[in-house]
Amino acid sequence: MAAERFAYGPGTALVVVDVQVDFADPTGSLHVRGGEEVVPLVNAEVEAATAAGSPVVFTQDWHPEHTPHFAADGGTWPVHCVAGTPGAELHPALVVPEGAPRVRKGTGAEDGYSGFSELDLASGRREATVLGDLLDAHGVRRIVVVGLAGDYCVRATALDGAARGLAVRVPLALTRFVQLAEGDDERAVAEMRAAGVEVL
Ligand code: VGL
Ligand code: ZN
């Protein structure tokens, strides 16, 4: 794959999705296969973006102990990224520039796959996180979405970004997929491309 680099600058933000211990570390409770491999690559991207004056935003999956998002409470997933626990921390090897904003999602009874919004599973209502306003405040028109996982939070963030009218890029080298079902990676890529996301 071409190691093409996004032309970073103030109008372009780097959104680093959920590079947290539970996803990115082999000891994590919802380890995404190969997640640890993206950490140094994401670090290089953070450095390139920062050097060019791009805002860099970090998202964190940030759940209560009980949520319909977890299998134990009727949902899909093993318990992961419980607010304030070590598993919810950003991966210790991840470079986080001082003052870089963190957007926490899935904090209530929601599926918080997208960095931009949360879906309340009980009411079916979708509510915005601070990410959209934050990017607007910086005059951002383009985003690069990297991190974990390609078939869930990266995909949902990229789709929401495109729906907001942003130009969105997803470099596949900087993500990994959960693959609950075989082919989820290809389906996620196809869905993103169909929505106008540039998947590299
Ligand atoms: C995610 C599954 C459950 C993700 C979050 O960050 O992609 N996946 N919660
Ligand atoms: Zn989650």
Side-chain angles (χ1 to χ4, degrees):
M1 193 176 52
E4 191 183 337
R5 184 146 255 161
F6 203 89
Y8 285 106
T12 301
L14 174 61
V15 181
V16 179
V17 174
D18 298 5
V19 182
Q20 292 166 271
V21 171
D22 273 343
F23 298 125
D25 196 86
T27 64
S29 65
L30 185 41
H31 177 233
V32 180
R33 203 162 149 210
E36 63 282 5
E37 296 164 7
V38 307
V39 176
L41 304 172
V42 169
N43 286 343
E45 204 73 5
V46 169
E47 274 169 35
T50 304
S54 283
V56 181
V57 183
F58 294 81
T59 72
Q60 281 176 291
D61 220 28
W62 199 255
H63 298 308
E65 266 177 67
H66 288 282
T67 160
H69 182 68
F70 292 160
D73 299 289
T76 304
W77 305 104
V79 173
H80 62 276
C81 299
V82 172
T85 64
E89 288 303 311
L90 293 175
H91 192 282
L94 185 69
V95 171
V96 182
E98 209 172 317
R102 297 179 184 208
V103 174
R104 290 172 171 166
K105 63 198 175 49
T107 56
E110 325 92 355
D111 275 340
Y113 295 127
S114 167
F116 288 100
S117 66
E118 302 173 305
L119 178 66
D120 187 287
L121 292 166
S123 69
R125 264 202 299 273
R126 193 167 272 285
E127 299 212 342
T129 69
V130 298
L131 180 58
D133 287 345
L134 204 131
L135 297 179
D136 287 348
H138 280 91
V140 165
R141 298 304 311 146
R142 307 190 294 177
I143 58 172
V144 181
V145 186
V146 303
L148 303 169
D151 37 0
Y152 287 92
C153 292
V154 167
R155 166 183 156 276
T157 302
L159 291 176
D160 257 2
R164 292 178 68 88
L166 298 169
V168 183
R169 272 195 181 183
V170 174
L172 288 179
L174 301 186
T175 189
R176 292 293 184 276
F177 294 80
V178 177
Q179 297 270 53
L180 269 190
E182 204 181 321
D184 279 356
D185 53 352
E186 283 166 23
R187 279 186 288 275
V189 168
E191 198 182 349
M192 288 189 279
R193 287 197 169 130
V197 173
E198 193 176 5
V199 183
L200 300 176

